């Protein structure tokens, strides 16, 4: 570390800590709708969901759009904190109205909001919040175990306690500068009403879930009906606490009907005939540009699209298996060769953008990334020539063959780069598997090369993809590189966001340009159709689960 | 009860204008069964397309040309292009190879195995027959496509595993038919005569029973060729057929159905047309063959 940085570090740290400790974030619910429209109250929105949620609807043990599309309205869009409605990268208050971080970043004290009720009329208390945090870390009753949650936020917690009557103090196991970023994840919800859960747990039902207690919850809506495979109905929770910028209570809608529609073509047909106000979210359920054009032709001016990024495709080679990709020259050649812009056209019809590991709009990536080899459109021909040269230097001028592991549902993107790589002489044999096989083999590292979606709205989350093998059984990279491991360790000691950004950019460059462990391809934009009269959706630039509570949505008809 | 006997070998294989040459027989067949002949022409075209695909196809079926993606059918690309800019016509022509290969291989394996097992079961009888028939019952309990799907998943998608899986679904049907024919053939005088002169079981079965049980199996096989091609397309449509980038009609249709039905209908329509045309042709030919080979229908 240079002398100058040594001198500046304590000052920067103090400034950062002061900023964290003193922040009083803006209210989380701005006025809904754009263009100065006054929200109208009432009405039932009809929005497709692609499948029934998993059995007990417990966001701690299962995650996926089929759950969150419906359950976020019931459980709410956060916990103590949430992603801001108008900025997915920023932390906003939710059930805590403010917080303070300890100077060591190992304790966080949340001042809990008053006037919050479970939808059965029971007041929500700081004890409820502590109870929830305790349960997320697992519990044991007799010989029965309730396992801990798997999410990155709550697993950092060592102890939670109520202080001063209305505050919750959370003590972490270690210093975690990104704790609030971790907790703001939309899918970490307080979904365990103590007054209903505890009696069941004491009776031995240690795995009790929200569905076992009638979905008593804190979100803007209540579950009214669930006809499996057919329809899920939510209706307004009259006890919901949140208000809009004018002080009017949320939600605006009387309710939401979610017809279960498992096929995109069916959704498009139902949308066109006016039976749906909005499509389903989730991979494979976004509209292609050609489908959008067709809809716009038949419903001119009547359709809007939520364009949600965050499906950032990455290719990586298994460094724990022998093969030509162990050679840095080969990895670099593979990285330089792919024509990402051609992939954007071939796979998603141009409805996409290039990126590094994170979304460029998040502010985390190196601003110069577009000039890097393999990203720079102006050096495309030179990159390809370099790729051929590197293959020759590695003794593989005529190419090589390898298996490439791909989910069957991702065949379109895999088929594209399979074709593109043939120009380099690399013959990829696509190993197409179903989701269950993919998960199993992925965890065992039983593959040569793989493609995966990497999503992160803050850099520490990337450890699950880039961290040391053993910690990242479901991650993108398979490696035992101590340097990459140590980079992630430095996040824990980072003093403020600038330091975190610096570390992230080192990781980014190391993985994508120095070692060429992975190839960032492009971010597939998920285009979800909504009727123009559906206002106040505020979908984030990325993160498919953002603002899925529909509290600010209203119908202008 | 009147008993219909299966004709002797010479009759089975020369049901048309006896004594005429091959062209004479073909002409006779065309006159008597014009629809069957039309089916044969379509299938002949398919075979020629499969054999001479390299000559017929104007483009490499797997080479991507993204700037030309989703071109409509026209003079440059007869049947348009897909999202990778690949020529749909070339892919259909090369897809014929896959369809024909899978159809023929599955039917060949199914027929050989099914006839041997079925004929031996019918000829031998007893515990062996009982055992074989119960196994066949079990196999027929599975819907064929589901059984094929399970086998392909177990073996991993490849052109050979698809062919094998379809052969397995076909075998029990051939066994049943071959056994029934064998049971009937075993009652014939020439089988008794063969026994009387000291012919061994294997010789009697292979030289007399099997050849005389083949006629109905041929008809079944002709019909099953079309079924096998459809089944391959179904597996490919489900993503379990021939892996990419090899073109297969089912895979092409599945690709088109993935959001392009309205914007680029040619991606689905033309492979579907090829598939339905070939299946229809197999149906026509199969019906005609049944008519000329089945002694009860001959002359109608």
């Amino acid at each position: 570390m240079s002398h100058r940085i040594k001198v500046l570090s304590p000052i920067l740290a103090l400034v950062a800590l002061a900023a964290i400790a003193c922040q009083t974030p803006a209210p989380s619910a701005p006025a809904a709708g754009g263009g100065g429209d006054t929200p109208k109250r009432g009405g039932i929105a009809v929005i497709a969901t692609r499948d029934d949620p998993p059995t007990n609807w417990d966001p701690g043990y299962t995650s996926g759009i089929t759950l969150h599309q419906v359950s976020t309205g019931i459980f709410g869009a956060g916990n103590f904190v949430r992603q801001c409605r108008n900025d997915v990268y920023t932390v906003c208050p939710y059930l805590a109205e403010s917080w303070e971080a300890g100077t060591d970043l190992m304790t966080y004290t949340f001042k809990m909001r008053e006037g919050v009720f479970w939808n059965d009329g029971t007041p929500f208390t700081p004890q409820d919040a502590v109870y929830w945090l305790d349960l997320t870390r697992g519990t044991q009753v007799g010989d029965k175990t309730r396992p801990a949650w798997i999410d990155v936020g709550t697993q950092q917690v060592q102890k939670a306690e109520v202080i001063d009557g209305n505050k919750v103090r959370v003590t972490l196991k270690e210093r975690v500068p990104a704790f609030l970023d971790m907790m703001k994840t939309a899918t970490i919800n307080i979904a365990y009403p103590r007054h209903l859960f505890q009696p069941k747990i004491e009776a031995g039902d240690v795995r009790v879930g929200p569905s076992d207690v009638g979905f008593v919850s804190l979100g803007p809506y209540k579950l009214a009906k669930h006809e499996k495979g057919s329809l899920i109905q939510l209706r307004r929770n009259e006890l919901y606490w949140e208000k809009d910028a004018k002080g009017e209570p949320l939600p605006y809608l009387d309710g939401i009907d979610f017809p279960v529609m498992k096929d995109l073509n069916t959704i498009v047909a139902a949308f066109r005939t006016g039976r749906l106000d909005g499509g389903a979210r989730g991979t494979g359920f976004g509209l292609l540009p050609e489908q959008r054009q067709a809809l716009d032709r038949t419903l001119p001016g009547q359709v809007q699209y939520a364009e949600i990024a965050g499906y950032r495709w990455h290719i990586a080679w298994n460094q724990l298996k022998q093969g030509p990709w162990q050679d840095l020259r080969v990895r670099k050649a593979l990285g330089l060769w792919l024509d990402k812009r051609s992939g954007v056209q071939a796979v998603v019809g141009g409805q996409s953008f290039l990126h590094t590991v994170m979304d460029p709009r998040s502010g985390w990536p190196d601003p110069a990334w577009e000039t890097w080899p393999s990203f720079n459109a102006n050096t495309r021909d030179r990159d390809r020539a370099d790729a051929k040269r590197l293959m020759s230097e590695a003794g593989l001028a005529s190419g090589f063959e390898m298996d490439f592991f791909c989910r069957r549902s991702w065949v379109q993107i895999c088929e594209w780069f399979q074709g593109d790589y043939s120009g380099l002489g690399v013959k990829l044999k696509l190993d197409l598997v179903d989701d269950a096989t993919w998960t199993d083999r992925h965890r065992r590292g039983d593959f040569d090369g793989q493609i995966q979606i990497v999503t992160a709205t803050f850099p520490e989350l990337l450890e699950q993809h880039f961290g040391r093998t053993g910690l990242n059984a479901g991650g993108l990279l398979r490696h035992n590189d101590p340097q990459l491991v140590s980079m992630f360790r430095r996040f824990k000691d980072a003093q403020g966001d600038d330091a975190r950004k610096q570390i992230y950019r080192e990781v980014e460059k190391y993985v994508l340009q120095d070692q060429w462990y992975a190839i960032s391809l492009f971010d597939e934009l998920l285009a979800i159709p909504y009727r123009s009269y559906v206002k106040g959706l505020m979908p984030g630039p990325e993160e498919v689960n953002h603002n899925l509570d529909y509290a600010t949505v209203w119908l202008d008809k | 009860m009147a008993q219909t006997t299966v004709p002797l070998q010479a009759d089975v294989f020369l049901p048309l204008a006896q004594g005429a040459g091959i062209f004479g027989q073909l002409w006779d067949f065309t006159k008597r069964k014009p629809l069957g002949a039309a089916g044969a022409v379509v299938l002949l075209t398919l075979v020629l397309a499969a054999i001479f695909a390299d000559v017929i196809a104007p483009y490499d079926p797997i080479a991507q040309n993204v700037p030309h993606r989703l071109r409509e059918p026209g003079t440059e690309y007869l049947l348009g292009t897909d999202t990778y800019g690949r020529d749909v016509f070339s892919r259909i022509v090369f897809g014929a190879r896959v369809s024909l290969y899978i159809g023929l291989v599955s039917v060949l394996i199914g027929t050989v195995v099914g006839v041997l097992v079925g004929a031996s079961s019918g000829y031998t009888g007893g515990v062996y027959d009982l055992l074989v028939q119960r196994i066949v019952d079990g196999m027929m309990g599975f819907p064929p496509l589901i059984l094929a799907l399970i086998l392909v998943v177990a073996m991993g998608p490849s052109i050979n595993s698809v062919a094998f899986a379809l052969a397995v679904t076909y075998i029990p049907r051939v066994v049943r038919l071959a056994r029934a024919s064998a049971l009937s053939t075993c009652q014939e005088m020439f089988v008794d005569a063969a026994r009387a002169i000291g012919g061994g079981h294997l010789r009697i079965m292979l030289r007399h029973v099997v050849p005389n049980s083949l006629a109905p199996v041929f008809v079944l096989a002709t019909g099953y060729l079309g079924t096998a091609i459809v089944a391959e397309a179904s597996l490919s449509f489900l993503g379990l057929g021939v892996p990419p980038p090899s073109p297969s009609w089912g895979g092409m249709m599945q690709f088109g159905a993935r959001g392009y039905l309205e914007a680029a209908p040619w991606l689905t329509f033309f492979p579907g047309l090829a598939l339905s045309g070939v299946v229809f042709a197999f149906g026509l030919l199969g019906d005609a063959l049944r008519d000329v080979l089945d002694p009860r229908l001959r002359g109608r």
Side-chain angles (χ1 to χ4, degrees):
Chain A
M1 191 186 286
S2 73
H3 174 71
R4 192 174 168 192
I5 293 175
K6 274 182 182 171
V7 171
L8 283 175
S9 290
I11 300 167
L12 287 172
L14 281 174
V15 170
L17 288 176
I20 292 169
C22 300
Q23 63 181 312
T24 48
S28 61
D37 290 344
T38 304
K40 293 177 182 168
R41 306 193 77 84
I44 305 287
V46 185
I47 293 169
T49 185
R50 68 182 200 184
D51 211 341
D52 290 295
T55 310
N56 72 355
W57 298 50
D58 193 329
Y61 297 106
T62 182
S63 188
I65 194 64
T66 55
L67 175 66
H68 303 308
Q69 167 123 12
V70 178
S71 73
T72 311
I74 301 172
F75 301 138
N79 42 79
F80 296 96
V81 294
R82 59 164 293 162
Q83 292 166 333
C84 296
R85 286 199 188 279
N86 51 5
D87 183 0
V88 75
Y89 304 112
T90 307
V91 183
C92 271
Y94 194 53
L95 294 172
E97 58 184 29
S98 63
W99 61 83
E100 288 178 1
T103 50
D104 56 358
L105 292 186
M106 282 188 65
T107 57
Y108 289 81
T109 304
F110 298 94
K111 185 183 177 198
M112 301 308 292
R113 193 178 295 280
E114 291 179 2
V116 178
F117 292 88
W118 297 95
N119 63 25
D120 65 350
T122 307
F124 172 74
T125 64
Q127 285 77 11
D128 285 332
V130 169
Y131 178 78
W132 169 73
L133 267 180
D134 287 344
L135 268 195
T136 63
R137 286 174 287 134
T139 189
Q140 179 118 18
V141 175
D143 58 347
K144 294 176 182 170
T145 303
R146 181 184 181 88
W149 280 23
I150 52 168
D151 73 76
V152 291
T154 58
Q155 72 181 359
Q156 310 292 337
V157 176
Q158 173 85 39
K159 187 174 73 173
E161 58 198 326
V162 177
I163 59 167
D164 301 339
N166 66 342
K167 292 179 181 169
V168 173
R169 182 163 66 200
V170 175
T171 307
L172 306 183
K173 295 172 186 165
E174 58 183 339
R175 189 174 189 281
V176 184
F179 178 66
L180 290 175
D181 272 332
M182 292 173 176
M183 291 300 287
K184 83 174 191 298
T185 307
T187 55
I188 305 178
N189 311 132
I190 299 182
Y192 299 160
R194 182 173 54 124
H195 61 289
L196 299 174
F197 263 52
Q198 191 54 26
K200 284 195 174 278
I201 289 176
E202 284 168 3
D205 185 6
V206 73
R207 291 300 299 265
V208 59
S211 62
D212 303 315
V213 295
F215 296 95
V216 170
S217 51
L218 296 166
Y221 298 94
K222 298 193 281 192
L223 180 71
K225 190 201 277 186
H226 179 195
E227 291 170 2
K228 203 159 185 185
S230 174
L231 178 68
I232 299 164
Q233 286 186 330
L234 308 191
R235 292 296 175 262
R236 185 212 308 267
N237 171 14
E238 301 291 353
L239 300 174
Y240 188 60
W241 58 272
E242 198 176 6
K243 300 198 167 29
D244 69 11
K246 293 179 181 170
E248 296 294 320
L250 295 176
Y252 298 119
L253 292 172
D254 288 337
I256 309 168
D257 284 357
F258 290 101
V260 178
M261 296 179 150
K262 303 186 181 186
D263 173 63
L264 178 61
N265 290 317
T266 312
I267 289 174
V268 172
F271 183 84
R272 177 175 290 150
T273 53
R275 291 180 57 210
L276 285 178
D277 298 320
R281 292 195 191 185
T283 324
F285 280 73
L287 299 193
L288 296 163
E290 291 78 11
Q291 290 173 305
R292 288 174 62 164
Q293 287 160 14
L295 263 188
D296 289 337
R297 271 197 305 273
T298 45
L299 298 170
Q302 298 175 56
V303 188
Q304 58 178 329
Y305 300 92
E307 290 188 335
I308 304 168
Y311 293 87
R312 286 187 285 278
W313 293 103
H314 285 78
I315 291 175
W317 322 103
N318 188 347
Q319 296 303 313
L320 301 181
K321 283 187 85 173
Q322 285 304 313
W325 55 89
Q326 290 284 350
D327 187 329
L328 174 58
R329 291 169 298 185
V330 174
R331 290 201 300 274
K332 186 171 181 180
L334 290 167
L336 288 172
W337 180 263
L338 269 189
D339 186 351
K340 296 168 186 178
R341 287 172 179 82
S342 148
V344 166
Q345 291 300 322
V347 181
V348 285
Q351 193 170 265
S352 180
F353 57 90
L354 300 195
H355 57 82
T356 64
V357 178
M358 291 180 70
D359 191 320
R361 294 169 296 185
S362 69
W364 291 99
D366 189 324
W369 68 274
E370 283 182 291
T371 63
W372 292 352
S374 87
F375 290 95
N376 189 345
N378 299 325
T379 60
R380 184 88 290 270
D381 293 341
R382 194 175 71 206
D383 287 348
R384 288 206 150 188
D386 285 347
K388 291 229 169 193
R389 179 181 52 77
L390 286 163
M391 289 288 278
S392 293
E393 286 174 13
L396 294 167
S398 54
F400 61 91
E401 283 188 33
M402 69 176 289
D403 285 344
F404 196 92
F405 188 49
C406 181
R407 269 185 171 161
R408 192 165 289 128
S409 52
W410 296 348
V411 65
Q412 194 164 348
I413 189 166
C414 295
E415 197 171 350
W416 160 66
F417 59 74
Q418 181 192 43
D420 206 39
Y421 272 137
S422 64
L424 187 62
V426 177
K427 193 174 175 190
L428 295 185
K429 187 179 165 220
L430 292 187
D431 188 3
L432 298 172
V433 296
D434 57 61
D435 287 4
T437 310
W438 187 88
T439 304
D440 175 47
R441 285 183 50 194
H442 194 265
R443 291 198 177 279
R444 287 189 282 114
D446 181 15
F447 57 86
D448 296 340
Q450 66 147 332
I451 180 163
Q452 232 197 88
I453 295 169
V454 173
T455 302
T457 52
F458 59 96
E460 286 84 348
L461 210 51
L462 293 170
E463 187 168 12
Q464 63 185 319
H465 284 290
F466 294 172
R468 181 168 57 84
T469 301
L471 294 176
N472 69 335
L476 176 73
L477 301 188
R478 308 285 302 182
H479 68 90
N480 268 326
D481 185 337
Q483 193 168 340
L484 195 47
V485 175
S486 71
M487 285 178 176
F488 278 100
R489 206 172 288 133
R490 283 168 48 208
F491 274 117
K492 297 190 191 313
D493 302 321
Q495 306 287 339
D497 283 352
D498 285 345
R500 291 170 67 200
K501 197 173 281 182
Q502 176 63 30
I503 298 167
Y504 164 73
R505 288 176 182 177
E506 286 178 34
V507 169
E508 181 181 71
K509 187 154 184 303
Y510 187 74
V511 169
L512 299 181
Q513 292 287 296
D514 296 343
Q515 292 300 320
W516 296 82
Y517 283 143
I519 302 169
S520 289
L521 294 177
F522 46 82
D523 197 322
E524 184 175 344
L525 279 173
L526 199 65
I528 310 296
Y530 293 92
R531 290 288 185 150
S532 301
Y533 54 71
V534 179
K535 307 281 188 181
L537 283 162
M538 292 195 286
E542 64 171 317
E543 171 67 82
V544 73
N545 300 311
H546 186 227
N547 284 342
L548 267 185
D549 62 349
Y550 301 100
T552 56
V553 172
W554 56 281
L555 303 178
D556 189 15
K557 65 172 185 177
Chain B
M1 191 171 71
Q3 192 174 6
T4 304
T5 55
V6 175
L8 296 184
Q9 280 170 284
D11 278 350
V12 170
F13 293 107
L14 290 171
L16 297 164
Q18 296 197 13
I22 182 78
F23 293 107
Q25 288 198 28
L26 283 175
W27 178 242
D28 186 42
F29 177 79
T30 305
K31 279 193 298 183
R32 284 167 54 187
K33 297 289 172 192
L35 285 177
V41 170
V42 172
L43 296 177
L44 186 66
T45 309
L46 174 78
V47 172
L48 292 174
I51 293 171
F52 299 108
D54 297 301
V55 179
I56 298 169
Y59 298 96
D60 181 339
I62 60 173
Q64 297 182 4
N65 184 9
V66 176
H68 288 206
R69 70 185 291 272
L70 295 181
R71 290 282 170 91
E72 291 183 8
T75 49
E76 188 178 8
Y77 297 101
L78 192 61
L79 304 182
T81 63
D82 65 13
T83 58
Y84 307 114
R86 299 178 302 200
D87 179 41
V88 171
F89 175 70
S90 302
R91 288 181 67 75
I92 288 177
V93 170
F94 275 89
R97 273 189 184 172
V98 173
S99 296
L100 208 61
Y101 175 84
I102 287 177
L104 287 174
V105 169
S106 62
V107 166
L108 190 67
I109 295 173
T111 303
V112 170
V113 175
V115 165
L116 288 177
V117 173
S120 64
S121 174
Y123 178 80
T124 311
V127 176
Y128 173 68
D129 183 36
L130 191 73
L131 196 67
V132 167
Q133 293 314 308
R134 296 301 75 77
I135 292 171
V136 165
D137 284 345
M139 289 174 73
M140 291 183 80
F142 275 98
L145 191 63
I146 302 292
L147 180 59
L149 206 136
I150 292 168
L151 290 169
V152 172
V153 167
M155 291 183 290
S158 74
I159 191 166
N160 289 325
S161 64
V162 171
F164 178 76
L166 294 178
V168 170
T169 66
Y170 176 51
I171 285 172
R173 285 148 187 85
V174 182
V175 168
R176 275 284 156 82
L177 192 62
R179 175 180 178 270
S181 291
L183 283 173
S184 171
T185 308
C186 284
Q187 309 301 316
E188 295 293 335
M189 289 286 288
F190 60 85
V191 175
D192 289 339
R195 282 201 191 101
I197 60 171
H201 290 307
L202 190 64
R203 180 183 171 83
I204 292 172
M205 203 177 76
L206 293 180
R207 291 295 299 272
H208 301 285
V209 177
V210 169
N212 284 286
S213 309
L214 283 180
V217 174
F218 280 160
V219 176
L220 183 71
T222 316
Y224 193 76
L225 268 167
T227 307
I229 289 172
V230 171
E232 180 278 321
S234 306
L235 289 172
S236 291
F237 194 85
L238 295 171
L240 287 165
V242 182
S246 302
S248 82
W249 295 345
M252 291 172 73
M253 283 193 289
Q254 193 250 3
F255 189 96
R258 227 186 286 147
Y260 297 98
L261 277 175
E262 195 173 345
W266 59 89
L267 297 182
T268 313
F269 178 75
F270 290 118
L273 190 67
L275 181 67
S276 54
V278 166
V279 173
F280 186 54
F282 270 119
L284 291 176
L285 183 63
D287 283 350
L289 282 179
R290 187 197 60 210
D291 292 352
V292 296
L293 290 175
D294 190 329
R296 287 165 296 189
L297 300 173
R298 195 180 299 164
R300 286 185 188 177

